[in-house]
Amino acid sequence: MRARRKLLLRQKIRPRVKGISFNRMIPNLLTLLGLCAGLIGIRSAIHGEFATAVIAILIAGCFDGLDGRIARLLRGTSRFGAELDSLADFLSFGIAPCFILYMWALKDEGSYAFVPCALFAVCMSLRLARFNAALEDEDKPKYASNFFTGVPAPAGAGIVLFPIFLGLEAKKLQWNFLIDIAQSPLLTIIMLVMTSFLLISTIPIWSFKNFKVPTTYVLPLLLGTTLYATTLVADPWGTLAFSGLLYLGTIPLSYRSFRLLKADAEALHKETDETDDDEGESLDQLEQKDLTTPTTPP
């Protein structure tokens, strides 16, 4: 009887599964979805479906923005996830955009037309490697944490695809002269070279991670976001092309903001050093006074 009870208890007890929690896998799954989106962009460009190709790159950018934040929320950050994210970013934002642009305007322009595409891919890899190395830099000033060094990878991919956004908008409006400009090899080469140098530059770019909005600007910002989303649905290609130009316009402003913050930090550091020097001199004078003053014998 006892042996039978023990047998029944053993059958009821479920074996414990050893492994990784599913919550810790969610960021990696999002990263892989972004990687798949980049591959879909390459496949679509091969078949001449450029609208689908750029949409796939935009979706990859959305996944890239989500996986890191979700990993921090779920406490699922890991070295493996960071390495996987970098490899996925290189394909989705370094290889896929230049390949799409090559199929868009450069495939019939000879062997030298591939050079700006290779330049973009190499600069993107350097940008990602520098970003990973900067994560271990603990001496970075506090004010610098609100800025990227150079244009980030997803933004670089969005900027360099400007000719395709412009061309798709021109085809929608049936403006043949604008179609010729958008598909001209010169514009494509200019965008590839310019974006490549923006990626590896040391220009400080707003990261918007710790960006604080003043109370008076909260409602206008919400209204502006609603209008932007509505316009994006109504006219996606024109809105995306304008967004790329607008982002380029914020680069001088972010550089100016960084310089002001740096100047304020240096001035505060200088004042602190002067105050410490004055206090040190006062203590030295006080010690010398105590040594030179004769003491009264008891």
Side-chain angles (χ1 to χ4, degrees), residues 153-169:
I159 292 172
V160 81
L161 291 174
F162 172 79
I164 300 182
F165 296 146
L166 185 64
L168 293 174
E169 179 65 16

Side-chain angles (χ1 to χ4, degrees), residues 231-281:
T231 308
L232 185 63
V233 173
D235 188 10
W237 309 124
T239 305
L240 290 171
F242 177 75
S243 300
L245 296 176
L246 184 64
Y247 186 85
L248 289 174
T250 62
I251 293 177
L253 298 177
S254 61
Y255 178 77
R256 179 177 177 273
S257 176
F258 181 85
R259 297 289 297 179
L260 292 175
L261 290 173
K262 184 178 179 181
D264 293 341
E266 290 177 351
L268 181 62
H269 183 69
K270 186 177 180 180
E271 290 179 1
T272 305
D273 290 342
E274 290 178 353
T275 303
D276 293 340
D277 292 339
D278 293 340
E279 291 179 355
E281 291 177 0

Side-chain angles (χ1 to χ4, degrees), residues 118-179:
L119 177 66
F120 178 82
V122 170
C123 290
M124 182 64 76
S125 65
L126 294 174
R127 168 72 180 83
L128 293 170
R130 183 177 63 184
F131 177 78
N132 292 339
L135 294 176
E136 300 177 358
D137 185 11
E138 298 179 354
D139 297 331
K140 193 175 182 179
K142 187 176 181 181
Y143 63 86
S145 61
N146 296 326
F147 296 86
F148 290 119
T149 302
V151 172
I159 292 172
V160 81
L161 291 174
F162 172 79
I164 300 182
F165 296 146
L166 185 64
L168 293 174
E169 179 65 16
K171 288 181 180 180
K172 177 184 176 183
L173 299 175
Q174 297 182 353
W175 291 355
N176 294 327
F177 75 96
L178 194 57
I179 295 174

Side-chain angles (χ1 to χ4, degrees), residues 8-16:
L8 292 174
L9 288 175
R10 288 178 182 178
Q11 292 177 353
K12 290 181 179 180
I13 296 175
R14 296 180 180 178
R16 293 184 179 181

Side-chain angles (χ1 to χ4, degrees), residues 147-256:
F147 296 86
F148 290 119
T149 302
V151 172
I159 292 172
V160 81
L161 291 174
F162 172 79
I164 300 182
F165 296 146
L166 185 64
L168 293 174
E169 179 65 16
K171 288 181 180 180
K172 177 184 176 183
L173 299 175
Q174 297 182 353
W175 291 355
N176 294 327
F177 75 96
L178 194 57
I179 295 174
D180 295 336
I181 294 174
Q183 289 187 327
S184 64
L186 181 61
L187 177 62
T188 303
I189 292 172
I190 289 174
M191 294 303 300
L192 282 167
V193 174
M194 181 190 70
T195 311
S196 298
F197 285 106
L198 287 175
L199 289 169
I200 61 173
S201 68
T202 57
I203 301 174
I205 308 293
W206 278 323
S207 65
F208 298 103
K209 291 181 179 180
N210 300 319
F211 192 75
K212 294 183 179 180
V213 181
T215 306
T216 55
Y217 292 101
V218 171
L219 290 179
L221 179 63
L222 294 175
L223 179 61
T225 304
T226 304
L227 292 176
Y228 178 81
T230 306
T231 308
L232 185 63
V233 173
D235 188 10
W237 309 124
T239 305
L240 290 171
F242 177 75
S243 300
L245 296 176
L246 184 64
Y247 186 85
L248 289 174
T250 62
I251 293 177
L253 298 177
S254 61
Y255 178 77
R256 179 177 177 273

